[in-house]
Amino acid sequence: SHLSYIEKNGEVNGLLSNQILQRTINEIGDIIECNCSIWNTDGVMLAAVGKEKPAVKKAVCSFLKELEVTGVAEEHLDECYGLFPVYDDDELTYIFVIEHNNEIDVHTSGRLSVCQLESLLRSGSERLDRNRFIQNLLLDNLLLVDIYNQAKKLGITVEQRRVVYLIEPKNPDDTIVLDMIRGIYSSGTGDFVTAVDEGHIILIKSLDSTDDYDTIRSTADMLVNAINTEAMVNVRLSFGTIIPELKEVSQSYKEAGMALDVGRIFYPERNILSYRELGIGRLIHQLPVSLCEMFLEEVFAGNTVDQFDEETLSTVDKFFEIFSDSWDDTFAGCLLDNHFFDIGKNNYKIGRKKIRSYVVIREKYLNEWSSCYELYMTDSEKKYRELLDMYYKDREEYKKEETA
């Protein structure tokens, strides 16, 4: 579920990452020019300048044991080390240890370092609060009054045009995409990058008053190209409609999700999908399951797909496997569609029939409401090209009539 993903990925945990801790303590070590380290409340060293020393671990363990007895964590200074508690909202989070150096004031250096770490914790908590708020907003987990109150508290503009992009890497384990998108769009710009499941990255993009769907599409093109070029990852991207207020963010998110679902079935060749350009696929996707079942029952005269024999199903699968990679062109009409396939030399068979080098599927008119498909196959490239050229000429004539 979305909630289990959020909890599993540490969105509820306010601790700083080890990477941030190590970078911070390296900076502190460069300034005070002595060895120092950060420990958690279980006595485990998380980051350090210099190697871990048994004597330092012993001092930290003694500090924690004293805390268990007295219930109070206070600064501790001796001739070797200075130990300083680091709090996050009155809760002990880390112990900062600094080794004595005759050239520095251990007490002042330790207090300044603690201030730096506690500031980072507050900043991290604020980011997590924003991220948690955005995730709950996307999942419709907030009342309207909570949306306005929390947005005001977090300094998020309510009345702002936005759109939601949904990015789906081909491989869900490609975390580099999330890091890259976060690098491009920082939260300070009014844009938000988050995730509520393992397979998708969500970008909530703020828009200027002049931005339209062409602008949104250009941004989508830029993102897909950048990810493909720099991260070497293939992605599919969708976006919803423009929403004027923060409370409607979940609407744009759901639309982007539907665009991915519909595109997966109806437009597999597209890597960018707009909710506004889904055609009849959007209507079919929104049909109730009961109506779809009724339609199948009507079409198959009471039979179900499960009742088709294995040979028929394998023939259908083989048909799609062969023709999906050999499509040449399609000529769409008001009712009659014609499909051309250049398969080339092959050893394919459907049933007992060998597939020829060139295949044409033509829709035959029956009456004003119905039609049927006819399959033509030939090994003659000349005949195939003549028929294809005829349809090309008809298409050009039709375009001329439209523009006239």
Side-chain angles (χ1 to χ4, degrees):
S1 69
H2 294 309
L3 183 58
S4 63
Y5 168 81
I6 293 169
E7 291 177 345
K8 184 179 75 174
N9 284 273
E11 302 294 349
V12 182
N13 189 346
L15 299 180
L16 299 171
S17 69
N18 286 358
Q19 183 181 6
I20 293 175
L21 288 175
Q22 187 62 56
R23 184 171 65 243
T24 303
I25 203 163
N26 285 342
E27 293 170 352
I28 291 173
D30 288 342
I31 295 171
I32 63 179
E33 296 181 342
C34 70
N35 291 337
C36 48
S37 54
I38 300 173
W39 301 69
N40 65 15
T41 53
D42 293 324
V44 176
M45 190 177 75
L46 303 177
V49 173
K51 296 181 179 179
E52 178 178 347
K53 297 179 180 178
V56 177
K57 184 175 180 64
K58 183 178 180 181
V60 171
C61 290
S62 298
F63 180 86
L64 292 172
K65 284 181 181 179
E66 185 178 344
L67 172 63
E68 289 179 4
V69 175
T70 63
V72 179
E74 295 181 344
E75 298 171 2
H76 175 78
L77 297 172
D78 59 28
E79 65 275 7
C80 297
Y81 307 106
L83 288 83
F84 301 84
V86 181
Y87 290 93
D88 182 20
D89 286 338
D90 298 326
E91 181 180 350
L92 180 63
T93 306
Y94 302 119
I95 298 100
F96 176 75
V97 181
I98 182 171
E99 297 184 30
H100 269 271
N101 184 324
N102 294 330
E103 297 179 2
I104 66 164
D105 183 336
V106 172
H107 184 259
T108 302
S109 299
R111 293 293 299 273
L112 288 172
S113 301
V114 167
C115 286
Q116 174 67 11
L117 290 168
E118 290 181 346
S119 294
L120 283 173
L121 282 169
R122 283 193 296 272
S123 176
S125 296
E126 183 179 335
R127 283 197 301 273
L128 285 175
D129 286 343
R130 279 183 163 226
N131 195 44
R132 194 179 300 118
F133 168 70
I134 293 297
Q135 288 171 335
N136 285 324
L137 187 65
L138 290 165
L139 298 176
D140 276 334
N141 289 341
L142 296 171
L143 297 174
L144 186 59
V145 64
D146 292 332
I147 293 174
Y148 286 106
N149 289 340
Q150 292 189 37
K152 183 178 180 180
K153 178 182 176 183
L154 296 170
I156 299 173
T157 305
V158 173
E159 294 185 358
Q160 167 73 50
R161 296 172 77 242
R162 294 180 172 92
V163 68
V164 175
Y165 292 94
L166 193 57
I167 303 160
E168 181 183 70
K170 187 175 182 180
N171 182 0
D173 297 328
D174 283 326
T175 56
I176 188 174
V177 179
L178 178 59
D179 296 335
M180 182 176 175
I181 301 298
R182 279 180 171 159
I184 297 172
Y185 297 100
S186 60
S187 58
T189 61
D191 304 320
F192 302 95
V193 179
T194 188
V196 294
D197 60 44
E198 292 181 345
H200 303 90
I201 297 122
I202 303 164
L203 167 63
I204 303 174
K205 181 82 175 67
S206 61
L207 303 173
D208 294 331
S209 58
T210 56
D211 289 341
D212 55 14
Y213 285 102
D214 289 337
T215 309
I216 294 171
R217 178 70 188 218
S218 297
T219 302
D221 289 331
M222 180 274 293
L223 284 170
V224 170
N225 291 334
I227 294 169
N228 287 344
T229 304
E230 297 180 26
M232 303 294 288
V233 175
N234 291 323
V235 298
R236 295 171 70 244
L237 180 149
S238 64
F239 55 89
T241 56
I242 298 172
I243 46 102
E245 284 194 48
L246 188 66
K247 65 181 181 181
E248 298 174 33
V249 160
S250 63
Q251 172 191 319
S252 189
Y253 168 61
K254 291 172 185 175
E255 291 169 349
M258 181 185 291
L260 274 184
D261 291 339
V262 172
R264 196 174 289 113
I265 299 168
F266 291 92
Y267 312 108
E269 73 283 358
R270 298 184 190 175
N271 60 358
I272 297 177
L273 298 145
S274 168
Y275 176 78
R276 298 172 73 247
E277 300 172 358
L278 296 179
I280 197 170
R282 178 172 54 241
L283 295 176
I284 295 173
H285 187 274
Q286 292 176 322
L287 287 174
V289 175
S290 58
L291 282 181
C292 295
E293 291 173 345
M294 190 183 302
F295 173 75
L296 291 175
E297 186 177 347
E298 179 183 347
V299 171
F300 295 115
N303 296 319
T304 65
V305 177
D306 296 335
Q307 291 174 312
F308 288 108
D309 58 78
E310 190 65 34
E311 183 180 352
T312 302
L313 291 175
S314 63
T315 299
V316 173
D317 287 340
K318 190 68 175 177
F319 185 87
F320 281 105
E321 178 187 337
I322 294 170
F323 292 104
S324 62
D325 295 327
S326 308
W327 174 77
D328 202 349
D329 207 341
T330 292
F331 299 86
C334 179
L335 181 63
L336 305 181
D337 296 333
N338 301 279
H339 309 274
F340 289 75
F341 301 90
D342 181 356
I343 297 174
K345 292 183 179 181
N346 65 86
N347 296 315
Y348 297 136
K349 285 186 178 181
I350 295 182
R352 296 180 180 178
K353 293 288 184 181
K354 183 182 182 303
I355 301 296
R356 303 297 180 180
S357 298
Y358 304 97
V359 176
V360 179
I361 301 176
R362 301 177 65 182
E363 191 171 4
K364 182 180 178 181
Y365 176 87
L366 296 179
N367 56 52
E368 59 182 320
W369 298 112
S370 60
S371 62
C372 67
Y373 281 104
E374 295 179 336
L375 179 68
Y376 295 86
M377 296 191 295
T378 180
D379 285 325
S380 172
E381 182 179 3
K382 182 180 179 181
K383 290 181 179 179
Y384 176 77
R385 295 299 171 193
E386 285 176 354
L387 186 59
L388 191 57
D389 289 342
M390 183 183 72
Y391 277 96
Y392 279 135
K393 289 176 183 177
D394 288 344
R395 179 191 281 173
E396 292 300 320
E397 290 297 326
Y398 180 73
K399 288 182 178 177
K400 289 178 182 177
E401 291 177 7
E402 276 193 322
T403 56

